[in-house]
Amino acid sequence: MDYFALFLDSLCLLVGHGVIHILFVSRLTGKKQKPLHFAVYILLLTVLQLVSVRLSLSGTLSIAVCVLELYAVSRFGMGNQPSVSWLAAVLACYISQLSFGIINSVEAALFPRFIGSPLLYLLLLAAQVLFFALCAGCCYAVLKLLARTEEAPYIGLLLFPGLFFFASELYILDTAYSFFAPIVSLEEVGKHSTLLLLQVMGLTALLCTLYAYRQLCQGFQAQAALQSLTQAAQAQKIYIAEAQARYEQTKSFRHDIKNHLSVLDGLLRSGKLEEGQEYLKKLETVSASLSFPYQTGNPVVDILLGEKLGLAKEIAAEVSLVLPKPCGIDDFDLCVLFANALDNAITACRANDGAKAIRISGKQQGDFYMLTFENTCSDEPVPPAGTGLSNIEAVAGKYHGAVLAEKKGGQFHLSVLLNFSSL
């Protein structure tokens, strides 16, 4: 029995496949790996290796089963979506087979002359280390270009080019490599040099494909952000117009209040109490229509709060906020800030099965003003920052402020600091 070959195969199985594959899938999908994932996958690989040796299975069939095993761990162990699990399994196995093929090309061209020499064992061990390093480096390059695939649009489309590169690599490994001969000819060196070049070009093509996909995703995100900003701007224009209309109505009502009081005084003096009560009810109705459920000192913010929170009646809302006068912040920026913060808070509350509450407060100290939005939320991890939070950060940056978002238990806190001295 060749114990050295057995040692290299075991090392390759444990590190090159078991550890690197699970780490790659975990980093690619953003799911946390567990010791159980490593143990189950390495056990499956060991069983596959024993069955392959006993039944003399072809290398291609063994690799296909390896892909299925890794898919199963990703899909059922880590809870990833089917398309993401297939892509992660194919890419992981392709990277390991590609790294093996590149190292094999070098071995086939250089190592035969050392057959029979004790130095061959040292060279084979060094080649194994280079295989691990190359495999880890390729995984790192792919992860830099393709991360958090659960949120990526049309991720399944990458499976087809991935399968093409993988199938090409399997064909090269299955047809071009065999045990190297003890004599190295120029023809053999040229053959393996060509194979090495083809495999490097295959890796480059894959990385270029992933880079193009990342740029496409960024384009989708920019388009979605632009559409969101356009909708927000339109909504904010409506809020501002409504605030101005409310202001004009209030101004008109205040102008006529003396006449209303004179009429009410005449009715009371003449003893027409019922008519006076009816007239007073009409005045109460008019005044109620001009008032806001939340008083912050800014009519635009008052209307926005009343509309947003009024549509979410199932959520308990508490607003203890008085904006300074003069505020110094443009009404459009206030709309961007409050609209996005409220939308995020309402969405988080509705996703929570328990208590639903939103609390908004503000505090001024010198030239600084701190806005705080607190809301209940579910126990799920906080999703990555989206367009709403980016818009809030843009407003805070315009006024030389800062934004802090954090989750504590079932509460989400958003703090926005604005610097009035920079205006």
PDB file of all heavy atoms in Angstrom, residues 79-117:
ATOM      1  N   GLY A  79     -29.908  26.057   4.551  1.00  0.00           N
ATOM      2  CA  GLY A  79     -31.187  26.693   4.255  1.00  0.00           C
ATOM      3  C   GLY A  79     -31.146  27.662   3.099  1.00  0.00           C
ATOM      4  O   GLY A  79     -31.959  28.583   3.036  1.00  0.00           O
ATOM      5  N   ASN A  80     -30.232  27.479   2.128  1.00  0.00           N
ATOM      6  CA  ASN A  80     -30.163  28.357   0.967  1.00  0.00           C
ATOM      7  C   ASN A  80     -31.200  27.971  -0.076  1.00  0.00           C
ATOM      8  O   ASN A  80     -31.701  26.853  -0.098  1.00  0.00           O
ATOM      9  CB  ASN A  80     -28.761  28.300   0.347  1.00  0.00           C
ATOM     10  CG  ASN A  80     -27.700  28.869   1.264  1.00  0.00           C
ATOM     11  OD1 ASN A  80     -27.882  29.933   1.844  1.00  0.00           O
ATOM     12  ND2 ASN A  80     -26.590  28.167   1.414  1.00  0.00           N
ATOM     13  N   GLN A  81     -31.498  28.915  -0.960  1.00  0.00           N
ATOM     14  CA  GLN A  81     -32.440  28.667  -2.043  1.00  0.00           C
ATOM     15  C   GLN A  81     -31.847  27.669  -3.048  1.00  0.00           C
ATOM     16  O   GLN A  81     -30.631  27.554  -3.162  1.00  0.00           O
ATOM     17  CB  GLN A  81     -32.781  29.971  -2.760  1.00  0.00           C
ATOM     18  CG  GLN A  81     -33.502  30.988  -1.889  1.00  0.00           C
ATOM     19  CD  GLN A  81     -34.840  30.470  -1.398  1.00  0.00           C
ATOM     20  OE1 GLN A  81     -35.565  29.790  -2.133  1.00  0.00           O
ATOM     21  NE2 GLN A  81     -35.180  30.781  -0.155  1.00  0.00           N
ATOM     22  N   PRO A  82     -32.695  26.933  -3.781  1.00  0.00           N
ATOM     23  CA  PRO A  82     -32.182  25.923  -4.719  1.00  0.00           C
ATOM     24  C   PRO A  82     -31.199  26.474  -5.744  1.00  0.00           C
ATOM     25  O   PRO A  82     -30.134  25.892  -5.973  1.00  0.00           O
ATOM     26  CB  PRO A  82     -33.459  25.394  -5.391  1.00  0.00           C
ATOM     27  CG  PRO A  82     -34.536  25.616  -4.389  1.00  0.00           C
ATOM     28  CD  PRO A  82     -34.165  26.892  -3.680  1.00  0.00           C
ATOM     29  N   SER A  83     -31.554  27.607  -6.399  1.00  0.00           N
ATOM     30  CA  SER A  83     -30.663  28.150  -7.425  1.00  0.00           C
ATOM     31  C   SER A  83     -29.317  28.560  -6.838  1.00  0.00           C
ATOM     32  O   SER A  83     -28.259  28.332  -7.446  1.00  0.00           O
ATOM     33  CB  SER A  83     -31.329  29.353  -8.106  1.00  0.00           C
ATOM     34  OG  SER A  83     -31.635  30.369  -7.156  1.00  0.00           O
ATOM     35  N   VAL A  84     -29.348  29.149  -5.648  1.00  0.00           N
ATOM     36  CA  VAL A  84     -28.108  29.563  -4.995  1.00  0.00           C
ATOM     37  C   VAL A  84     -27.283  28.342  -4.589  1.00  0.00           C
ATOM     38  O   VAL A  84     -26.058  28.326  -4.726  1.00  0.00           O
ATOM     39  CB  VAL A  84     -28.419  30.441  -3.768  1.00  0.00           C
ATOM     40  CG1 VAL A  84     -27.150  30.778  -3.000  1.00  0.00           C
ATOM     41  CG2 VAL A  84     -29.127  31.708  -4.192  1.00  0.00           C
ATOM     42  N   SER A  85     -27.956  27.303  -4.113  1.00  0.00           N
ATOM     43  CA  SER A  85     -27.248  26.093  -3.696  1.00  0.00           C
ATOM     44  C   SER A  85     -26.579  25.405  -4.873  1.00  0.00           C
ATOM     45  O   SER A  85     -25.434  24.946  -4.778  1.00  0.00           O
ATOM     46  CB  SER A  85     -28.230  25.137  -3.008  1.00  0.00           C
ATOM     47  OG  SER A  85     -28.775  25.720  -1.846  1.00  0.00           O
ATOM     48  N   TRP A  86     -27.288  25.332  -6.007  1.00  0.00           N
ATOM     49  CA  TRP A  86     -26.683  24.738  -7.196  1.00  0.00           C
ATOM     50  C   TRP A  86     -25.469  25.541  -7.647  1.00  0.00           C
ATOM     51  O   TRP A  86     -24.411  24.969  -7.972  1.00  0.00           O
ATOM     52  CB  TRP A  86     -27.701  24.661  -8.329  1.00  0.00           C
ATOM     53  CG  TRP A  86     -28.656  23.516  -8.260  1.00  0.00           C
ATOM     54  CD1 TRP A  86     -30.016  23.577  -8.178  1.00  0.00           C
ATOM     55  CD2 TRP A  86     -28.330  22.123  -8.259  1.00  0.00           C
ATOM     56  NE1 TRP A  86     -30.561  22.320  -8.117  1.00  0.00           N
ATOM     57  CE2 TRP A  86     -29.547  21.391  -8.182  1.00  0.00           C
ATOM     58  CE3 TRP A  86     -27.126  21.419  -8.322  1.00  0.00           C
ATOM     59  CZ2 TRP A  86     -29.587  20.004  -8.159  1.00  0.00           C
ATOM     60  CZ3 TRP A  86     -27.170  20.026  -8.299  1.00  0.00           C
ATOM     61  CH2 TRP A  86     -28.383  19.333  -8.226  1.00  0.00           C
ATOM     62  N   LEU A  87     -25.615  26.863  -7.707  1.00  0.00           N
ATOM     63  CA  LEU A  87     -24.502  27.698  -8.160  1.00  0.00           C
ATOM     64  C   LEU A  87     -23.304  27.571  -7.239  1.00  0.00           C
ATOM     65  O   LEU A  87     -22.159  27.427  -7.697  1.00  0.00           O
ATOM     66  CB  LEU A  87     -24.954  29.160  -8.229  1.00  0.00           C
ATOM     67  CG  LEU A  87     -23.875  30.169  -8.655  1.00  0.00           C
ATOM     68  CD1 LEU A  87     -23.426  29.894 -10.081  1.00  0.00           C
ATOM     69  CD2 LEU A  87     -24.389  31.594  -8.521  1.00  0.00           C
ATOM     70  N   ALA A  88     -23.535  27.611  -5.929  1.00  0.00           N
ATOM     71  CA  ALA A  88     -22.438  27.502  -4.969  1.00  0.00           C
ATOM     72  C   ALA A  88     -21.731  26.159  -5.087  1.00  0.00           C
ATOM     73  O   ALA A  88     -20.489  26.084  -5.050  1.00  0.00           O
ATOM     74  CB  ALA A  88     -22.965  27.708  -3.546  1.00  0.00           C
ATOM     75  N   ALA A  89     -22.508  25.073  -5.255  1.00  0.00           N
ATOM     76  CA  ALA A  89     -21.908  23.742  -5.365  1.00  0.00           C
ATOM     77  C   ALA A  89     -21.090  23.611  -6.642  1.00  0.00           C
ATOM     78  O   ALA A  89     -19.968  23.084  -6.629  1.00  0.00           O
ATOM     79  CB  ALA A  89     -23.013  22.679  -5.329  1.00  0.00           C
ATOM     80  N   VAL A  90     -21.640  24.101  -7.753  1.00  0.00           N
ATOM     81  CA  VAL A  90     -20.925  24.001  -9.032  1.00  0.00           C
ATOM     82  C   VAL A  90     -19.641  24.823  -8.998  1.00  0.00           C
ATOM     83  O   VAL A  90     -18.574  24.362  -9.426  1.00  0.00           O
ATOM     84  CB  VAL A  90     -21.846  24.447 -10.191  1.00  0.00           C
ATOM     85  CG1 VAL A  90     -21.054  24.641 -11.473  1.00  0.00           C
ATOM     86  CG2 VAL A  90     -22.954  23.431 -10.406  1.00  0.00           C
ATOM     87  N   LEU A  91     -19.722  26.060  -8.495  1.00  0.00           N
ATOM     88  CA  LEU A  91     -18.535  26.908  -8.455  1.00  0.00           C
ATOM     89  C   LEU A  91     -17.465  26.338  -7.532  1.00  0.00           C
ATOM     90  O   LEU A  91     -16.270  26.355  -7.856  1.00  0.00           O
ATOM     91  CB  LEU A  91     -18.915  28.321  -7.999  1.00  0.00           C
ATOM     92  CG  LEU A  91     -19.674  29.185  -9.005  1.00  0.00           C
ATOM     93  CD1 LEU A  91     -20.007  30.541  -8.399  1.00  0.00           C
ATOM     94  CD2 LEU A  91     -18.872  29.372 -10.284  1.00  0.00           C
ATOM     95  N   ALA A  92     -17.873  25.831  -6.373  1.00  0.00           N
ATOM     96  CA  ALA A  92     -16.900  25.271  -5.423  1.00  0.00           C
ATOM     97  C   ALA A  92     -16.166  24.078  -6.030  1.00  0.00           C
ATOM     98  O   ALA A  92     -14.931  23.982  -5.965  1.00  0.00           O
ATOM     99  CB  ALA A  92     -17.604  24.879  -4.129  1.00  0.00           C
ATOM    100  N   CYS A  93     -16.921  23.169  -6.626  1.00  0.00           N
ATOM    101  CA  CYS A  93     -16.291  21.982  -7.223  1.00  0.00           C
ATOM    102  C   CYS A  93     -15.470  22.357  -8.457  1.00  0.00           C
ATOM    103  O   CYS A  93     -14.418  21.766  -8.715  1.00  0.00           O
ATOM    104  CB  CYS A  93     -17.365  20.958  -7.591  1.00  0.00           C
ATOM    105  SG  CYS A  93     -18.186  20.223  -6.154  1.00  0.00           S
ATOM    106  N   TYR A  94     -15.954  23.337  -9.231  1.00  0.00           N
ATOM    107  CA  TYR A  94     -15.185  23.773 -10.398  1.00  0.00           C
ATOM    108  C   TYR A  94     -13.845  24.369  -9.981  1.00  0.00           C
ATOM    109  O   TYR A  94     -12.803  24.084 -10.591  1.00  0.00           O
ATOM    110  CB  TYR A  94     -15.986  24.797 -11.198  1.00  0.00           C
ATOM    111  CG  TYR A  94     -15.157  25.509 -12.246  1.00  0.00           C
ATOM    112  CD1 TYR A  94     -14.639  24.817 -13.330  1.00  0.00           C
ATOM    113  CD2 TYR A  94     -14.889  26.870 -12.138  1.00  0.00           C
ATOM    114  CE1 TYR A  94     -13.872  25.473 -14.291  1.00  0.00           C
ATOM    115  CE2 TYR A  94     -14.129  27.527 -13.085  1.00  0.00           C
ATOM    116  CZ  TYR A  94     -13.620  26.826 -14.162  1.00  0.00           C
ATOM    117  OH  TYR A  94     -12.852  27.470 -15.099  1.00  0.00           O
ATOM    118  N   ILE A  95     -13.861  25.192  -8.947  1.00  0.00           N
ATOM    119  CA  ILE A  95     -12.621  25.822  -8.500  1.00  0.00           C
ATOM    120  C   ILE A  95     -11.613  24.778  -8.032  1.00  0.00           C
ATOM    121  O   ILE A  95     -10.426  24.849  -8.357  1.00  0.00           O
ATOM    122  CB  ILE A  95     -12.922  26.841  -7.384  1.00  0.00           C
ATOM    123  CG1 ILE A  95     -13.652  28.057  -7.956  1.00  0.00           C
ATOM    124  CG2 ILE A  95     -11.639  27.280  -6.677  1.00  0.00           C
ATOM    125  CD1 ILE A  95     -14.149  29.012  -6.906  1.00  0.00           C
ATOM    126  N   SER A  96     -12.078  23.788  -7.273  1.00  0.00           N
ATOM    127  CA  SER A  96     -11.156  22.757  -6.792  1.00  0.00           C
ATOM    128  C   SER A  96     -10.612  21.918  -7.945  1.00  0.00           C
ATOM    129  O   SER A  96      -9.422  21.599  -7.989  1.00  0.00           O
ATOM    130  CB  SER A  96     -11.847  21.875  -5.758  1.00  0.00           C
ATOM    131  OG  SER A  96     -12.974  21.234  -6.315  1.00  0.00           O
ATOM    132  N   GLN A  97     -11.489  21.570  -8.914  1.00  0.00           N
ATOM    133  CA  GLN A  97     -11.015  20.785 -10.060  1.00  0.00           C
ATOM    134  C   GLN A  97     -10.101  21.601 -10.959  1.00  0.00           C
ATOM    135  O   GLN A  97      -9.121  21.084 -11.508  1.00  0.00           O
ATOM    136  CB  GLN A  97     -12.218  20.271 -10.864  1.00  0.00           C
ATOM    137  CG  GLN A  97     -13.085  19.274 -10.116  1.00  0.00           C
ATOM    138  CD  GLN A  97     -12.303  18.066  -9.646  1.00  0.00           C
ATOM    139  OE1 GLN A  97     -11.509  17.494 -10.394  1.00  0.00           O
ATOM    140  NE2 GLN A  97     -12.508  17.671  -8.394  1.00  0.00           N
ATOM    141  N   LEU A  98     -10.390  22.888 -11.120  1.00  0.00           N
ATOM    142  CA  LEU A  98      -9.522  23.754 -11.908  1.00  0.00           C
ATOM    143  C   LEU A  98      -8.154  23.884 -11.266  1.00  0.00           C
ATOM    144  O   LEU A  98      -7.117  23.794 -11.948  1.00  0.00           O
ATOM    145  CB  LEU A  98     -10.172  25.135 -12.045  1.00  0.00           C
ATOM    146  CG  LEU A  98      -9.328  26.204 -12.738  1.00  0.00           C
ATOM    147  CD1 LEU A  98      -9.162  25.872 -14.212  1.00  0.00           C
ATOM    148  CD2 LEU A  98      -9.957  27.586 -12.581  1.00  0.00           C
ATOM    149  N   SER A  99      -8.129  24.100  -9.955  1.00  0.00           N
ATOM    150  CA  SER A  99      -6.849  24.205  -9.249  1.00  0.00           C
ATOM    151  C   SER A  99      -6.057  22.905  -9.375  1.00  0.00           C
ATOM    152  O   SER A  99      -4.834  22.917  -9.593  1.00  0.00           O
ATOM    153  CB  SER A  99      -7.096  24.529  -7.775  1.00  0.00           C
ATOM    154  OG  SER A  99      -7.843  25.725  -7.638  1.00  0.00           O
ATOM    155  N   PHE A 100      -6.773  21.775  -9.259  1.00  0.00           N
ATOM    156  CA  PHE A 100      -6.111  20.479  -9.430  1.00  0.00           C
ATOM    157  C   PHE A 100      -5.555  20.336 -10.835  1.00  0.00           C
ATOM    158  O   PHE A 100      -4.437  19.840 -11.045  1.00  0.00           O
ATOM    159  CB  PHE A 100      -7.104  19.355  -9.133  1.00  0.00           C
ATOM    160  CG  PHE A 100      -6.581  17.985  -9.447  1.00  0.00           C
ATOM    161  CD1 PHE A 100      -5.668  17.361  -8.606  1.00  0.00           C
ATOM    162  CD2 PHE A 100      -6.991  17.325 -10.602  1.00  0.00           C
ATOM    163  CE1 PHE A 100      -5.174  16.097  -8.906  1.00  0.00           C
ATOM    164  CE2 PHE A 100      -6.506  16.065 -10.901  1.00  0.00           C
ATOM    165  CZ  PHE A 100      -5.594  15.451 -10.056  1.00  0.00           C
ATOM    166  N   GLY A 101      -6.335  20.774 -11.842  1.00  0.00           N
ATOM    167  CA  GLY A 101      -5.872  20.660 -13.220  1.00  0.00           C
ATOM    168  C   GLY A 101      -4.652  21.509 -13.497  1.00  0.00           C
ATOM    169  O   GLY A 101      -3.729  21.082 -14.202  1.00  0.00           O
ATOM    170  N   ILE A 102      -4.619  22.730 -12.966  1.00  0.00           N
ATOM    171  CA  ILE A 102      -3.466  23.603 -13.179  1.00  0.00           C
ATOM    172  C   ILE A 102      -2.213  23.000 -12.548  1.00  0.00           C
ATOM    173  O   ILE A 102      -1.135  22.945 -13.178  1.00  0.00           O
ATOM    174  CB  ILE A 102      -3.748  25.002 -12.606  1.00  0.00           C
ATOM    175  CG1 ILE A 102      -4.836  25.697 -13.436  1.00  0.00           C
ATOM    176  CG2 ILE A 102      -2.482  25.842 -12.571  1.00  0.00           C
ATOM    177  CD1 ILE A 102      -5.268  27.035 -12.880  1.00  0.00           C
ATOM    178  N   ILE A 103      -2.338  22.531 -11.312  1.00  0.00           N
ATOM    179  CA  ILE A 103      -1.192  21.914 -10.642  1.00  0.00           C
ATOM    180  C   ILE A 103      -0.786  20.620 -11.364  1.00  0.00           C
ATOM    181  O   ILE A 103       0.403  20.312 -11.511  1.00  0.00           O
ATOM    182  CB  ILE A 103      -1.518  21.635  -9.172  1.00  0.00           C
ATOM    183  CG1 ILE A 103      -1.804  22.942  -8.430  1.00  0.00           C
ATOM    184  CG2 ILE A 103      -0.369  20.886  -8.494  1.00  0.00           C
ATOM    185  CD1 ILE A 103      -0.653  23.921  -8.431  1.00  0.00           C
ATOM    186  N   ASN A 104      -1.778  19.876 -11.852  1.00  0.00           N
ATOM    187  CA  ASN A 104      -1.498  18.630 -12.564  1.00  0.00           C
ATOM    188  C   ASN A 104      -0.728  18.888 -13.848  1.00  0.00           C
ATOM    189  O   ASN A 104       0.138  18.094 -14.247  1.00  0.00           O
ATOM    190  CB  ASN A 104      -2.808  17.898 -12.872  1.00  0.00           C
ATOM    191  CG  ASN A 104      -2.594  16.405 -13.041  1.00  0.00           C
ATOM    192  OD1 ASN A 104      -1.472  15.915 -13.017  1.00  0.00           O
ATOM    193  ND2 ASN A 104      -3.679  15.688 -13.209  1.00  0.00           N
ATOM    194  N   SER A 105      -1.034  20.006 -14.536  1.00  0.00           N
ATOM    195  CA  SER A 105      -0.292  20.358 -15.747  1.00  0.00           C
ATOM    196  C   SER A 105       1.179  20.593 -15.432  1.00  0.00           C
ATOM    197  O   SER A 105       2.075  20.158 -16.173  1.00  0.00           O
ATOM    198  CB  SER A 105      -0.903  21.612 -16.386  1.00  0.00           C
ATOM    199  OG  SER A 105      -2.199  21.362 -16.859  1.00  0.00           O
ATOM    200  N   VAL A 106       1.427  21.288 -14.331  1.00  0.00           N
ATOM    201  CA  VAL A 106       2.813  21.546 -13.931  1.00  0.00           C
ATOM    202  C   VAL A 106       3.497  20.233 -13.543  1.00  0.00           C
ATOM    203  O   VAL A 106       4.655  19.978 -13.924  1.00  0.00           O
ATOM    204  CB  VAL A 106       2.846  22.556 -12.766  1.00  0.00           C
ATOM    205  CG1 VAL A 106       4.281  22.766 -12.284  1.00  0.00           C
ATOM    206  CG2 VAL A 106       2.223  23.877 -13.191  1.00  0.00           C
ATOM    207  N   GLU A 107       2.785  19.398 -12.796  1.00  0.00           N
ATOM    208  CA  GLU A 107       3.368  18.118 -12.390  1.00  0.00           C
ATOM    209  C   GLU A 107       3.705  17.249 -13.591  1.00  0.00           C
ATOM    210  O   GLU A 107       4.785  16.644 -13.670  1.00  0.00           O
ATOM    211  CB  GLU A 107       2.390  17.368 -11.475  1.00  0.00           C
ATOM    212  CG  GLU A 107       2.228  17.979 -10.094  1.00  0.00           C
ATOM    213  CD  GLU A 107       1.222  17.196  -9.261  1.00  0.00           C
ATOM    214  OE1 GLU A 107       0.500  16.354  -9.853  1.00  0.00           O
ATOM    215  OE2 GLU A 107       1.165  17.408  -8.045  1.00  0.00           O
ATOM    216  N   ALA A 108       2.750  17.156 -14.547  1.00  0.00           N
ATOM    217  CA  ALA A 108       2.963  16.287 -15.702  1.00  0.00           C
ATOM    218  C   ALA A 108       4.121  16.743 -16.569  1.00  0.00           C
ATOM    219  O   ALA A 108       4.764  15.933 -17.242  1.00  0.00           O
ATOM    220  CB  ALA A 108       1.679  16.226 -16.530  1.00  0.00           C
ATOM    221  N   ALA A 109       4.419  18.041 -16.566  1.00  0.00           N
ATOM    222  CA  ALA A 109       5.499  18.554 -17.391  1.00  0.00           C
ATOM    223  C   ALA A 109       6.861  18.504 -16.696  1.00  0.00           C
ATOM    224  O   ALA A 109       7.891  18.332 -17.349  1.00  0.00           O
ATOM    225  CB  ALA A 109       5.192  19.996 -17.806  1.00  0.00           C
ATOM    226  N   LEU A 110       6.885  18.591 -15.377  1.00  0.00           N
ATOM    227  CA  LEU A 110       8.165  18.736 -14.674  1.00  0.00           C
ATOM    228  C   LEU A 110       8.544  17.544 -13.809  1.00  0.00           C
ATOM    229  O   LEU A 110       9.729  17.264 -13.626  1.00  0.00           O
ATOM    230  CB  LEU A 110       8.131  20.003 -13.801  1.00  0.00           C
ATOM    231  CG  LEU A 110       7.857  21.325 -14.523  1.00  0.00           C
ATOM    232  CD1 LEU A 110       7.840  22.473 -13.519  1.00  0.00           C
ATOM    233  CD2 LEU A 110       8.902  21.587 -15.596  1.00  0.00           C
ATOM    234  N   PHE A 111       7.551  16.851 -13.239  1.00  0.00           N
ATOM    235  CA  PHE A 111       7.864  15.851 -12.216  1.00  0.00           C
ATOM    236  C   PHE A 111       8.381  14.505 -12.732  1.00  0.00           C
ATOM    237  O   PHE A 111       9.063  13.792 -11.995  1.00  0.00           O
ATOM    238  CB  PHE A 111       6.638  15.594 -11.337  1.00  0.00           C
ATOM    239  CG  PHE A 111       6.367  16.692 -10.342  1.00  0.00           C
ATOM    240  CD1 PHE A 111       6.963  17.947 -10.485  1.00  0.00           C
ATOM    241  CD2 PHE A 111       5.536  16.488  -9.264  1.00  0.00           C
ATOM    242  CE1 PHE A 111       6.712  18.957  -9.589  1.00  0.00           C
ATOM    243  CE2 PHE A 111       5.281  17.502  -8.358  1.00  0.00           C
ATOM    244  CZ  PHE A 111       5.868  18.739  -8.529  1.00  0.00           C
ATOM    245  N   PRO A 112       8.074  14.081 -13.983  1.00  0.00           N
ATOM    246  CA  PRO A 112       8.529  12.747 -14.406  1.00  0.00           C
ATOM    247  C   PRO A 112      10.027  12.530 -14.282  1.00  0.00           C
ATOM    248  O   PRO A 112      10.473  11.406 -14.020  1.00  0.00           O
ATOM    249  CB  PRO A 112       8.072  12.681 -15.861  1.00  0.00           C
ATOM    250  CG  PRO A 112       6.873  13.560 -15.918  1.00  0.00           C
ATOM    251  CD  PRO A 112       7.196  14.690 -14.994  1.00  0.00           C
ATOM    252  N   ARG A 113      10.818  13.548 -14.469  1.00  0.00           N
ATOM    253  CA  ARG A 113      12.276  13.388 -14.396  1.00  0.00           C
ATOM    254  C   ARG A 113      12.753  13.055 -12.978  1.00  0.00           C
ATOM    255  O   ARG A 113      13.892  12.638 -12.790  1.00  0.00           O
ATOM    256  CB  ARG A 113      12.955  14.658 -14.887  1.00  0.00           C
ATOM    257  CG  ARG A 113      12.781  15.868 -13.985  1.00  0.00           C
ATOM    258  CD  ARG A 113      13.406  17.110 -14.592  1.00  0.00           C
ATOM    259  NE  ARG A 113      12.701  17.488 -15.812  1.00  0.00           N
ATOM    260  CZ  ARG A 113      13.114  18.448 -16.634  1.00  0.00           C
ATOM    261  NH1 ARG A 113      14.247  19.073 -16.377  1.00  0.00           N
ATOM    262  NH2 ARG A 113      12.416  18.752 -17.704  1.00  0.00           N
ATOM    263  N   PHE A 114      11.849  13.261 -11.976  1.00  0.00           N
ATOM    264  CA  PHE A 114      12.244  12.975 -10.588  1.00  0.00           C
ATOM    265  C   PHE A 114      11.725  11.616 -10.096  1.00  0.00           C
ATOM    266  O   PHE A 114      11.841  11.309  -8.923  1.00  0.00           O
ATOM    267  CB  PHE A 114      11.727  14.071  -9.658  1.00  0.00           C
ATOM    268  CG  PHE A 114      12.324  15.418  -9.918  1.00  0.00           C
ATOM    269  CD1 PHE A 114      11.640  16.371 -10.675  1.00  0.00           C
ATOM    270  CD2 PHE A 114      13.589  15.735  -9.433  1.00  0.00           C
ATOM    271  CE1 PHE A 114      12.194  17.618 -10.913  1.00  0.00           C
ATOM    272  CE2 PHE A 114      14.139  16.989  -9.671  1.00  0.00           C
ATOM    273  CZ  PHE A 114      13.449  17.924 -10.420  1.00  0.00           C
ATOM    274  N   ILE A 115      11.108  10.834 -11.008  1.00  0.00           N
ATOM    275  CA  ILE A 115      10.615   9.512 -10.613  1.00  0.00           C
ATOM    276  C   ILE A 115      11.791   8.645 -10.156  1.00  0.00           C
ATOM    277  O   ILE A 115      12.816   8.539 -10.847  1.00  0.00           O
ATOM    278  CB  ILE A 115       9.864   8.842 -11.780  1.00  0.00           C
ATOM    279  CG1 ILE A 115       8.563   9.588 -12.060  1.00  0.00           C
ATOM    280  CG2 ILE A 115       9.567   7.372 -11.468  1.00  0.00           C
ATOM    281  CD1 ILE A 115       7.760   9.024 -13.209  1.00  0.00           C
ATOM    282  N   GLY A 116      11.633   8.023  -9.010  1.00  0.00           N
ATOM    283  CA  GLY A 116      12.705   7.213  -8.438  1.00  0.00           C
ATOM    284  C   GLY A 116      13.592   7.972  -7.485  1.00  0.00           C
ATOM    285  O   GLY A 116      14.424   7.369  -6.795  1.00  0.00           O
ATOM    286  N   SER A 117      13.394   9.307  -7.419  1.00  0.00           N
ATOM    287  CA  SER A 117      14.212  10.127  -6.527  1.00  0.00           C
ATOM    288  C   SER A 117      13.422  10.459  -5.268  1.00  0.00           C
ATOM    289  O   SER A 117      12.215  10.722  -5.337  1.00  0.00           O
ATOM    290  CB  SER A 117      14.635  11.414  -7.232  1.00  0.00           C
ATOM    291  OG  SER A 117      15.234  12.314  -6.321  1.00  0.00           O
TER     292      SER A 117
END
